[in-house]
Amino acid sequence: MPQQAGYSPSFKRPAEVLRMRRRRSGLGGSSRPTESSGLNGSSTACPRPFSPGPLSFQRNPPTRRGAKRRNPFANLGSPRSPKKNRVAEADGARDEESSLRDCLQLLDSNEGSLEQGPGPQDLHEGSLEQGPGPQDLHEGSLEQGPGPQDLHEGPLEQGPGPQDLHDWSLEADHQDPGPQENIHGTNPGCDAASSRSEYPADWSLKTRLLFTSPHSLSWAEQPRAQEEALGLHQHCRARFSPLPRSLSDPRSCSELRAAFQQALVYWQHPSLPWLSMFPRINAEKSFGGQNRPWAQDGAVQQSLRREWSLSLSSLYSLLKSRLCPYFYLCSYQFTVLFRAAGLGGSSSITALISPTTRGLREAMKAEGIEFSVPLVEERSKRRREREEQEDRLQEGADLQSSDGEDEDGSFDWLKEMGVQDKIKTPEGLLMQLQKENRAVSLDHKPESVALVDGHHTFTLINFLINSKSLVAAAGSQAGLPPTLLSPVAFRGASMHLLKSRCVNVKSQVEFSYQNISSLEITGPVLPSSLHTITKLLQRSQKGEFWSVLSTHRPTAVLNTAGTQLQGGPAPRPEDLSSCGLHPDSVQQLLQPSSLGKTALTHIKMSQNRYSWKN
């Protein structure tokens, strides 16, 4: 017996067959026209013989073409015993075979109606042509909207990835050198060409340091009396005891705590306990309202000035003997940095003054002090080179235009008479006015930094001692001589320690909070103190810390002249072995500074490698 196209005997639906048999027995002879009319009619719902309910793909769309339909009776259990279940299954199979034979007879009898209308397979194919099948629906959804991969790729194209976010923070920090980062937050982005084992020398004075580290910094606070005494003793004797190789517990290491106290020491003159003698520029508020017994007493002012002159002479003698590496003179108008021969890449003693005014520069010239203005000279050199290049390109045009100028604006006839030097021409007056304007416009700006070197530094010392304008004649700082700061002892100086304070806070790192330890140091932080403290933190914090540095702004430009100094080769490091600094600090300060007229604002150490931002 031939089988109907699109029908498989193995596809058994016993419940449907029994339902059709009951329908035929109830309707009698009128069942065939009803069946045929149902087959011949067109249905938008895709009717199928032997298929109760909606199509399977309309309920649960398959994920791929040709997926096997789920048997709705597969999970029906039976409470009978396994043996009875096997007998029932055999009986059910026989019933199914007899039901299938009846179905085939029914199909033979309806052959005519099947020829007039589509068969089961035709109906199924037609429905697929009229509407999308399971796979078509799935593909259509992929075409109309993004798939999982498209959704994943979309955000990556619109926004930066994790690496892009990291690179962006570095570029933003480089554009804005201000302290925009949260001091208790994550690592500030630090700009450098590459991480190095040492950061460049910074000759500016710092007013505040903030170190943060994932490891505890509590070892740096509250030293024992014996540790503090040992640190002061080592500083006065210029001794540096080696630290243990392993620092598993920095808090129990007495050598580390004593070395930290040694790094906090600096020397100052004059010293008035009720007054903060640094900074002096724009510090009228800190001096206002304080007790100043010398303000109206001329004898007290003369005594202060005399002692100050002796201290300054003592410092210069130590500097000349290379027993003092450097010192600062901080007045209410400017700051002077004196450096020993060899430091900053120079073979002679140097002095940097910033900021300067036209009056100060004219007074120095009157005293016979030769100096240079490195930033102005460098800018003028670049301008001359650019003008010379432009003149070479336009040399032909200049020669042609010079023929017509002889008749109009030339003053060659004055040269023939020999009176050109006695008559001021408009061009000469204009050039003189422009020169004076440029000189005045430099006042109180970083570009006005002046460099004095060699034996002229001794003349500068005498000029500062005898200058009456060095001490303010009015205001809150009237009668008070400038502040002298040095890393070593000198005549009339008093010992001071930088203030340190440790704080433990919780900071948000990515999606969690971590314990972050911070160390704050305030006071006039000298370059050698900064270097020594970072070296100690490298050992104690296992090479992981970052810091924010607050610079006294008028001293940032003191890094300028490192590459401008001209002289012989720098002296050997052992020539400064008695200056009172750690050999590592001396080695760093011997190199010319590469910071230009800027100063360090951030220092980061990761895996014992430095990176920084200026």
Side-chain angles (χ1 to χ4, degrees):
M1 174 181 176
Q3 295 184 357
Q4 185 69 20
Y7 179 80
S8 175
S10 62
F11 197 83
K12 302 174 183 179
R13 297 180 182 273
E16 299 174 4
V17 174
L18 294 177
R19 188 181 300 111
M20 294 184 64
R21 293 178 64 181
R22 286 195 300 269
R23 186 177 301 176
R24 286 198 306 272
S25 62
L27 296 178
S30 62
S31 61
R32 292 183 180 181
T34 304
E35 297 292 339
S36 62
S37 62
L39 292 173
N40 294 332
S42 61
S43 175
T44 58
C46 301
R48 299 182 52 163
F50 319 116
S51 177
L55 297 177
S56 60
F57 68 84
Q58 296 178 357
R59 294 191 305 267
N60 297 317
T63 58
R64 63 185 183 276
R65 189 184 300 273
K68 184 178 181 181
R69 292 186 176 89
R70 177 178 174 272
N71 185 5
F73 305 99
N75 296 330
L76 297 180
S78 176
R80 295 177 294 186
S81 63
K83 182 176 180 180
K84 292 183 179 181
N85 286 336
R86 288 193 296 270
V87 175
E89 291 174 0
D91 295 339
R94 286 192 295 270
D95 294 340
E96 291 175 3
E97 292 178 0
S98 61
S99 300
L100 289 174
R101 284 194 294 270
D102 295 338
C103 291
L104 294 177
Q105 294 177 2
L106 177 62
L107 292 174
D108 292 339
S109 62
N110 293 333
E111 183 176 358
S113 60
L114 289 174
E115 292 176 357
Q116 298 175 5
Q121 179 67 18
D122 298 334
L123 286 174
H124 182 65
E125 293 176 354
S127 62
L128 291 177
E129 295 174 359
Q130 295 176 7
Q135 181 66 18
D136 298 334
L137 289 174
H138 183 65
E139 293 176 354
S141 62
L142 290 178
E143 295 174 359
Q144 296 175 5
Q149 181 66 19
D150 299 334
L151 291 174
H152 179 66
E153 294 175 358
L156 291 180
E157 296 174 359
Q158 298 174 5
Q163 182 64 25
D164 298 334
L165 289 175
H166 180 67
D167 296 339
W168 171 84
S169 64
L170 298 181
E171 296 174 1
D173 290 339
H174 179 70
Q175 294 174 1
D176 187 7
Q180 71 280 6
E181 294 84 8
N182 184 359
I183 57 177
H184 296 303
T186 57
N187 304 20
C190 297
D191 296 338
S194 60
S195 59
R196 302 177 184 176
S197 58
E198 190 61 80
Y199 59 89
D202 188 355
W203 290 101
S204 63
L205 288 171
K206 309 297 180 183
T207 58
R208 179 174 174 267
L209 309 178
L210 182 65
F211 296 93
T212 53
S213 175
H215 307 286
S216 177
L217 285 164
S218 59
W219 58 268
E221 63 179 353
Q222 297 179 355
R224 301 182 182 89
Q226 183 179 2
E227 295 170 347
E228 183 177 2
L230 179 60
L232 299 181
H233 172 78
Q234 291 178 352
H235 175 83
C236 295
R237 302 297 189 275
R239 297 176 181 175
F240 304 94
S241 58
L243 299 178
R245 291 186 178 181
S246 61
L247 291 175
S248 57
D249 186 11
R251 192 173 182 84
S252 61
C253 182
S254 299
E255 294 84 354
L256 175 64
R257 294 161 66 89
F260 181 72
Q261 293 299 312
Q262 182 180 357
L264 299 180
V265 178
Y266 68 96
W267 297 83
Q268 173 184 305
H269 178 85
S271 178
L272 302 174
W274 65 92
L275 284 179
S276 176
M277 302 300 293
F278 179 83
R280 297 293 298 273
I281 300 178
N282 300 327
E284 285 75 13
K285 292 183 179 180
S286 61
F287 287 91
Q290 301 294 334
N291 184 16
R292 293 177 286 112
W294 62 87
Q296 304 298 331
D297 194 339
V300 176
Q301 294 183 10
Q302 292 180 4
S303 177
L304 290 175
R305 185 64 180 266
R306 184 169 53 252
E307 291 297 323
W308 180 84
S309 300
L310 293 175
S311 298
L312 181 59
S313 301
S314 173
L315 268 175
Y316 186 80
S317 299
L318 294 172
L319 189 76
K320 190 175 181 180
S321 304
R322 295 178 183 172
L323 299 177
C324 174
Y326 60 88
F327 68 89
Y328 292 84
L329 185 151
C330 306
S331 72
Y332 75 104
Q333 286 184 325
F334 55 85
T335 303
V336 187
L337 166 62
F338 288 88
R339 295 185 296 198
L343 296 184
S346 174
S347 59
S348 60
I349 299 176
T350 56
L352 289 166
I353 311 172
S354 174
T356 62
T357 60
R358 181 186 178 186
L360 177 61
R361 294 191 294 270
E362 293 294 336
M364 292 170 59
K365 290 180 180 178
E367 291 292 330
I369 302 174
E370 296 183 3
F371 63 91
S372 61
V373 187
L375 294 179
V376 176
E377 293 178 357
E378 182 180 0
R379 185 173 57 185
S380 301
K381 182 179 179 181
R382 290 198 302 265
R383 186 187 298 112
R384 286 195 302 269
E385 292 177 354
R386 184 170 61 253
E387 291 177 355
E388 290 176 0
Q389 184 177 4
E390 293 176 357
D391 292 342
R392 285 193 298 269
L393 296 176
Q394 299 179 358
E395 184 177 358
D398 294 341
L399 292 176
Q400 295 177 0
S401 61
S402 62
D403 298 337
E405 293 178 357
D406 293 338
E407 301 177 358
D408 298 330
S410 177
F411 294 91
D412 293 341
W413 58 277
L414 294 176
K415 296 181 180 180
E416 297 177 359
M417 298 176 62
V419 295
Q420 72 276 6
D421 296 335
K422 298 180 181 180
I423 298 178
K424 294 183 178 180
T425 63
E427 294 180 357
L429 292 175
L430 181 60
M431 293 178 60
Q432 183 178 359
L433 290 175
Q434 292 178 352
K435 184 177 180 180
E436 293 179 356
N437 187 23
R438 286 195 298 267
V440 174
S441 63
L442 291 176
D443 292 354
H444 304 289
K445 292 184 178 180
E447 290 77 9
S448 65
V449 59
L451 171 63
V452 183
D453 61 345
H455 66 276
H456 293 283
T457 56
F458 179 73
T459 310
L460 177 63
I461 290 291
N462 292 331
F463 169 76
L464 295 174
I465 291 176
N466 299 320
S467 176
K468 295 182 179 180
S469 61
L470 193 64
V471 180
S476 59
Q477 301 186 43
L480 188 62
T483 303
L484 301 176
L485 299 173
S486 171
V488 298
F490 58 95
R491 180 174 177 176
S494 59
M495 178 186 290
H496 291 264
L497 270 74
L498 300 172
K499 298 179 181 179
S500 61
R501 184 172 65 97
C502 296
V503 179
N504 294 325
V505 297
K506 285 186 176 294
S507 176
Q508 185 175 1
V509 180
E510 294 181 353
F511 301 102
S512 62
Y513 285 88
Q514 297 181 3
N515 292 325
I516 301 296
S517 183
S518 63
L519 171 63
E520 182 183 18
I521 300 175
T522 56
V525 183
L526 303 178
S528 55
S529 299
L530 174 62
H531 185 266
T532 305
I533 292 173
T534 54
K535 284 295 183 182
L536 294 177
L537 292 178
Q538 179 181 4
R539 293 291 307 276
S540 63
Q541 307 308 118
K542 302 177 182 179
E544 297 288 339
F545 70 87
W546 54 93
S547 62
V548 180
L549 315 178
S550 299
T551 304
H552 183 42
R553 190 173 298 275
T555 64
V557 74
L558 297 180
N559 294 311
T560 299
T563 58
Q564 305 295 330
L565 301 179
Q566 300 294 335
R572 295 174 297 178
E574 53 265 21
D575 293 339
L576 294 169
S577 58
S578 301
C579 67
L581 299 184
H582 195 279
D584 293 342
S585 299
V586 173
Q587 188 65 30
Q588 184 206 34
L589 298 178
L590 284 173
Q591 306 300 324
S593 179
S594 59
L595 299 176
K597 60 180 180 179
T598 61
L600 294 176
T601 58
H602 295 82
I603 295 178
K604 177 184 176 182
M605 168 164 278
S606 178
Q607 298 179 358
N608 293 315
R609 304 287 292 178
Y610 283 106
S611 58
W612 58 88
K613 184 173 71 173
N614 57 313

